[in-house]
Amino acid sequence: MSTQHPDNVSIPFFSSMQRIGGEDEVKEAYYAYSHLGCDEQMWDYEGKEVDNFVVKKLLTKYESYFREKRLGKDLFLTLRVPNPTIEKAEAKILLETLESIPRSYDAAKLFYKDDVAPIFEVILPMTMSHRCLDRIYRYYTDFIIDRQHRRFKDEDISIFDWIGEFKPEKINVIPLVGISIKCLLSTKS
């Protein structure tokens, strides 16, 4: 697995500006796959602005490469999300990130013409409890996936009929374990 760029002494060759931004991070992911031979890229949503359209951009900018190497099958993109138990100021980024997974699925389905999920795992840093993992899993399945079956009103169409199917139905949540007094106190409440 490749993680996104560390702090560098000099600007990486793929960066167009002093500060590495969204478009450069897409180039970086492609470079990690195509030149460094990495089969997995961690896409870090923690503490910065991130491009939520990474799957669509990878598939359209590097079409010939991703026709041969498939996201979700040959290559993997794993999202590192903020931990809302600890990172309160970044907590809602988690929700936006989870919302982007079905949209990325749709982009890959149009590109590959099949049902392989390009993103099906998220990494939770500073995990202190199984509850932190379960909350993310349940939010995704109960509030993102299950809502497609709800109707606007009793006589109206469902969200599925209006917007289409939401997939993948489930995601894996990978813990990065750390110990913090603050987190221990917050998980007891």
Side-chain angles (χ1 to χ4, degrees), residues 2-173:
S2 169
T3 62
Q4 286 175 303
H5 56 272
D7 293 333
N8 292 294
V9 172
S10 61
I11 301 167
F13 70 90
F14 53 78
S15 182
S16 59
M17 299 183 331
Q18 186 74 14
R19 185 172 180 199
I20 298 174
E23 293 299 321
D24 291 331
E25 290 178 335
V26 172
K27 289 179 199 171
E28 178 183 24
Y30 169 71
Y31 181 76
Y33 293 134
S34 64
H35 291 78
L36 299 179
C38 296
D39 62 3
E40 187 169 4
Q41 174 76 1
M42 182 186 73
W43 195 253
D44 193 354
Y45 281 82
E46 218 180 352
K48 60 187 176 128
E49 291 182 27
V50 172
D51 195 326
N52 271 330
F53 292 88
V54 61
V55 169
K56 184 177 182 179
K57 288 183 177 182
L58 285 170
L59 298 178
T60 56
K61 284 185 167 194
Y62 308 104
E63 181 178 349
S64 61
Y65 179 80
F66 287 103
R67 290 271 179 220
E68 292 181 28
K69 300 278 190 169
R70 298 182 43 137
L71 276 177
K73 185 177 179 189
D74 304 316
L75 303 170
F76 304 95
L77 187 65
T78 307
L79 311 180
R80 178 180 168 137
V81 297
N83 186 333
T85 304
I86 296 170
E87 301 167 283
K88 298 294 184 189
E90 303 290 319
K92 290 181 179 66
I93 293 172
L94 167 67
L95 306 183
E96 294 170 14
T97 305
L98 295 175
E99 290 281 351
S100 75
I101 294 173
R103 187 183 65 243
S104 293
Y105 178 92
D106 290 348
K109 184 174 182 172
L110 285 171
F111 185 81
Y112 293 120
K113 309 283 189 249
D114 65 17
D115 290 321
V116 175
I119 299 171
F120 54 87
E121 293 182 317
V122 299
I123 297 170
L124 182 68
M126 300 173 278
T127 303
M128 299 296 158
S129 165
H130 68 283
R131 289 183 183 159
C132 296
L133 302 171
D134 192 53
R135 287 177 191 136
I136 292 173
Y137 178 82
R138 298 252 176 242
Y139 184 88
Y140 183 80
T141 58
D142 298 352
F143 295 98
I144 295 174
I145 298 302
D146 282 354
R147 76 169 169 220
Q148 68 186 310
H149 305 295
R150 295 188 185 118
R151 295 184 178 278
F152 291 98
K153 291 184 177 181
D154 290 339
E155 317 80 42
D156 205 351
I157 62 173
S158 69
I159 294 172
F160 174 92
D161 295 328
W162 187 48
I163 300 292
E165 189 173 28
F166 286 46
K167 282 190 169 186
E169 293 178 3
K170 297 177 181 176
I171 58 169
N172 298 322
V173 186

Side-chain angles (χ1 to χ4, degrees), residues 85-86 126-129 178-189:
T85 304
I86 296 170
M126 300 173 278
T127 303
M128 299 296 158
S129 165
I179 296 184
S180 154
I181 297 298
K182 181 178 177 182
C183 189
L184 288 172
L185 295 173
S186 66
T187 56
K188 289 183 179 182
S189 56

